[in-house]
Amino acid sequence: MSPGFQGRPRSAEPALPPGQYLVEDWPVLSAGPTPKVPLDTWEFVVTAETGAEYRWSWDELMGLPQETPTVDIHCVTRWSKLGTTWQGVSLDTLLDGIDTTARYALAHSYGGYSTNLPLDDLRGGRAWVVHTAGGGPLPAEHGGPARLLVPHLYFWKSAKWVRGVRLLVDDQPGFWETAGYHDYGDPWREQRYQGD
């Protein structure tokens, strides 16, 4: 290196995916009304491609090993929120012991929403069913009582009001994907819409 050369100045701003801007609040975006899901009737169901079902009530979910990931989230509408803290159950725990040849999953929500994901993106410590955000119960407008959290993809893949995951051999698009959103949704590759 030449004497006096310091290179380019580094930004003090955090690294964000292309086209994103930083928010401190937590915008509320929904495709429809917020469903009211009583905890005494809430359940999470994994349905294997064979039709076999694996069910957890709210109390059973709370009795499973809990994790507290701190992650950045990125919305397709271009906002990003850094260092968000959650508590919930890893999909690794929920999928443990389920014999499957599936390569895809379709997450379903109370209220009718769905989103598709490669099954590998729900494994390896990369996805959770979360019930707590920022140290308190997950508010209904943000997907409570529980939502899927898949922070390495755009936030529409983290289905609010999640009620289950169906394992699939072949990919099946969900709500926003049938409306033209990208099947995968990687914020670092700006995969917002089909063809991106």
Side-chain angles (χ1 to χ4, degrees), residues 1-25:
M1 195 177 310
S2 302
F5 179 76
Q6 298 176 344
R8 293 187 182 150
R10 295 182 187 253
S11 171
E13 294 293 316
L16 295 174
Q20 297 291 112
Y21 66 90
L22 191 60
V23 298
E24 295 299 324
D25 60 343

Short mmCIF file of all heavy atoms in Angstrom, two decimals, residues 1-25:
data_model
loop_
_atom_site.label_atom_id
_atom_site.label_comp_id
_atom_site.label_asym_id
_atom_site.label_seq_id
_atom_site.Cartn_x
_atom_site.Cartn_y
_atom_site.Cartn_z
N MET A 1 0.85 -1.17 0.00
CA MET A 1 0.00 0.00 0.00
C MET A 1 0.89 1.23 0.00
O MET A 1 1.89 1.28 0.70
CB MET A 1 -0.90 -0.02 1.23
CG MET A 1 -2.03 0.95 1.11
SD MET A 1 -3.21 0.95 2.48
CE MET A 1 -3.63 -0.72 2.71
N SER A 2 0.53 2.21 -0.78
CA SER A 2 1.29 3.45 -0.86
C SER A 2 1.17 4.24 0.44
O SER A 2 0.10 4.23 1.06
CB SER A 2 0.78 4.33 -2.01
OG SER A 2 0.88 3.62 -3.22
N PRO A 3 2.26 4.95 0.84
CA PRO A 3 2.17 5.78 2.05
C PRO A 3 1.05 6.81 1.90
O PRO A 3 0.87 7.40 0.86
CB PRO A 3 3.54 6.47 2.11
CG PRO A 3 4.44 5.63 1.27
CD PRO A 3 3.57 4.98 0.24
N GLY A 4 0.29 6.97 2.95
CA GLY A 4 -0.79 7.95 2.95
C GLY A 4 -2.09 7.45 2.35
O GLY A 4 -3.11 8.12 2.44
N PHE A 5 -2.06 6.26 1.71
CA PHE A 5 -3.29 5.72 1.12
C PHE A 5 -4.17 5.13 2.21
O PHE A 5 -3.73 4.31 3.00
CB PHE A 5 -2.96 4.65 0.08
CG PHE A 5 -4.19 4.05 -0.56
CD1 PHE A 5 -4.89 4.76 -1.52
CD2 PHE A 5 -4.65 2.80 -0.18
CE1 PHE A 5 -6.02 4.22 -2.10
CE2 PHE A 5 -5.77 2.24 -0.75
CZ PHE A 5 -6.46 2.96 -1.72
N GLN A 6 -5.39 5.55 2.28
CA GLN A 6 -6.29 5.05 3.31
C GLN A 6 -7.47 4.27 2.73
O GLN A 6 -8.29 3.76 3.48
CB GLN A 6 -6.82 6.21 4.15
CG GLN A 6 -5.71 6.93 4.88
CD GLN A 6 -6.23 8.14 5.63
OE1 GLN A 6 -7.32 8.62 5.39
NE2 GLN A 6 -5.42 8.64 6.54
N GLY A 7 -7.59 4.21 1.43
CA GLY A 7 -8.72 3.52 0.83
C GLY A 7 -9.97 4.38 0.88
O GLY A 7 -9.93 5.54 1.26
N ARG A 8 -11.06 3.79 0.46
CA ARG A 8 -12.33 4.52 0.47
C ARG A 8 -12.86 4.64 1.89
O ARG A 8 -12.72 3.72 2.68
CB ARG A 8 -13.35 3.78 -0.38
CG ARG A 8 -13.01 3.78 -1.83
CD ARG A 8 -14.15 3.17 -2.62
NE ARG A 8 -13.76 3.14 -4.02
CZ ARG A 8 -14.14 2.26 -4.88
NH1 ARG A 8 -14.97 1.30 -4.51
NH2 ARG A 8 -13.74 2.30 -6.13
N PRO A 9 -13.48 5.77 2.19
CA PRO A 9 -14.08 5.89 3.52
C PRO A 9 -15.21 4.88 3.68
O PRO A 9 -15.96 4.62 2.75
CB PRO A 9 -14.60 7.32 3.57
CG PRO A 9 -14.65 7.80 2.16
CD PRO A 9 -13.67 6.96 1.37
N ARG A 10 -15.31 4.30 4.85
CA ARG A 10 -16.37 3.33 5.13
C ARG A 10 -17.58 4.05 5.69
O ARG A 10 -17.45 4.95 6.52
CB ARG A 10 -15.87 2.26 6.10
CG ARG A 10 -14.75 1.45 5.49
CD ARG A 10 -14.30 0.38 6.45
NE ARG A 10 -13.13 -0.26 5.91
CZ ARG A 10 -13.15 -1.48 5.41
NH1 ARG A 10 -14.23 -2.18 5.41
NH2 ARG A 10 -12.04 -2.01 4.93
N SER A 11 -18.73 3.60 5.26
CA SER A 11 -19.97 4.19 5.74
C SER A 11 -20.22 3.77 7.18
O SER A 11 -19.97 2.63 7.56
CB SER A 11 -21.12 3.73 4.85
OG SER A 11 -22.34 4.11 5.40
N ALA A 12 -20.74 4.68 7.96
CA ALA A 12 -21.13 4.35 9.33
C ALA A 12 -22.51 3.68 9.34
O ALA A 12 -22.94 3.16 10.35
CB ALA A 12 -21.16 5.61 10.18
N GLU A 13 -23.20 3.72 8.21
CA GLU A 13 -24.52 3.10 8.09
C GLU A 13 -24.38 1.59 8.03
O GLU A 13 -23.42 1.06 7.49
CB GLU A 13 -25.22 3.59 6.82
CG GLU A 13 -25.57 5.06 6.83
CD GLU A 13 -26.61 5.40 7.87
OE1 GLU A 13 -27.61 4.67 7.99
OE2 GLU A 13 -26.42 6.40 8.58
N PRO A 14 -25.36 0.87 8.59
CA PRO A 14 -25.31 -0.60 8.50
C PRO A 14 -25.53 -1.07 7.07
O PRO A 14 -26.13 -0.35 6.26
CB PRO A 14 -26.48 -1.04 9.40
CG PRO A 14 -27.40 0.14 9.43
CD PRO A 14 -26.52 1.36 9.29
N ALA A 15 -25.03 -2.24 6.76
CA ALA A 15 -25.21 -2.81 5.44
C ALA A 15 -26.66 -3.26 5.29
O ALA A 15 -27.17 -4.02 6.12
CB ALA A 15 -24.27 -3.98 5.23
N LEU A 16 -27.33 -2.77 4.27
CA LEU A 16 -28.70 -3.15 3.97
C LEU A 16 -28.75 -3.80 2.60
O LEU A 16 -27.94 -3.48 1.73
CB LEU A 16 -29.61 -1.92 3.98
CG LEU A 16 -29.80 -1.19 5.29
CD1 LEU A 16 -30.62 0.08 5.08
CD2 LEU A 16 -30.47 -2.09 6.31
N PRO A 17 -29.72 -4.67 2.36
CA PRO A 17 -29.90 -5.20 1.01
C PRO A 17 -30.16 -4.05 0.03
O PRO A 17 -30.66 -2.99 0.43
CB PRO A 17 -31.12 -6.11 1.14
CG PRO A 17 -31.18 -6.48 2.58
CD PRO A 17 -30.68 -5.26 3.31
N PRO A 18 -29.88 -4.26 -1.24
CA PRO A 18 -30.09 -3.20 -2.24
C PRO A 18 -31.54 -2.71 -2.23
O PRO A 18 -32.48 -3.50 -2.13
CB PRO A 18 -29.77 -3.90 -3.57
CG PRO A 18 -28.99 -5.10 -3.22
CD PRO A 18 -29.36 -5.49 -1.83
N GLY A 19 -31.70 -1.38 -2.32
CA GLY A 19 -33.02 -0.78 -2.41
C GLY A 19 -33.78 -0.66 -1.11
O GLY A 19 -34.91 -0.19 -1.10
N GLN A 20 -33.18 -1.06 0.02
CA GLN A 20 -33.86 -1.01 1.31
C GLN A 20 -33.48 0.26 2.07
O GLN A 20 -32.41 0.82 1.86
CB GLN A 20 -33.47 -2.23 2.16
CG GLN A 20 -33.88 -3.57 1.58
CD GLN A 20 -35.37 -3.79 1.58
OE1 GLN A 20 -35.99 -3.82 0.53
NE2 GLN A 20 -35.97 -3.94 2.75
N TYR A 21 -34.37 0.70 2.97
CA TYR A 21 -34.06 1.81 3.87
C TYR A 21 -34.35 1.36 5.30
O TYR A 21 -35.19 0.49 5.54
CB TYR A 21 -34.83 3.08 3.51
CG TYR A 21 -36.33 2.98 3.67
CD1 TYR A 21 -36.95 3.31 4.87
CD2 TYR A 21 -37.13 2.53 2.62
CE1 TYR A 21 -38.32 3.21 5.03
CE2 TYR A 21 -38.51 2.42 2.77
CZ TYR A 21 -39.09 2.76 3.97
OH TYR A 21 -40.45 2.65 4.13
N LEU A 22 -33.66 1.95 6.25
CA LEU A 22 -33.74 1.57 7.64
C LEU A 22 -34.92 2.24 8.33
O LEU A 22 -35.17 3.42 8.14
CB LEU A 22 -32.44 1.97 8.34
CG LEU A 22 -32.19 1.45 9.74
CD1 LEU A 22 -32.16 -0.06 9.76
CD2 LEU A 22 -30.86 2.00 10.26
N VAL A 23 -35.66 1.45 9.16
CA VAL A 23 -36.73 2.01 9.99
C VAL A 23 -36.44 1.65 11.44
O VAL A 23 -35.79 0.65 11.74
CB VAL A 23 -38.13 1.48 9.60
CG1 VAL A 23 -38.49 1.89 8.18
CG2 VAL A 23 -38.26 -0.02 9.77
N GLU A 24 -36.92 2.49 12.34
CA GLU A 24 -36.82 2.22 13.77
C GLU A 24 -38.14 1.67 14.30
O GLU A 24 -38.17 0.93 15.27
CB GLU A 24 -36.41 3.49 14.53
CG GLU A 24 -35.03 3.99 14.17
CD GLU A 24 -33.91 2.99 14.48
OE1 GLU A 24 -34.00 2.29 15.50
OE2 GLU A 24 -32.95 2.92 13.70
N ASP A 25 -39.25 2.09 13.66
CA ASP A 25 -40.56 1.57 14.08
C ASP A 25 -40.79 0.22 13.39
O ASP A 25 -39.87 -0.35 12.80
CB ASP A 25 -41.66 2.58 13.73
CG ASP A 25 -41.75 2.86 12.22
OD1 ASP A 25 -40.79 2.55 11.48
OD2 ASP A 25 -42.77 3.41 11.78
#
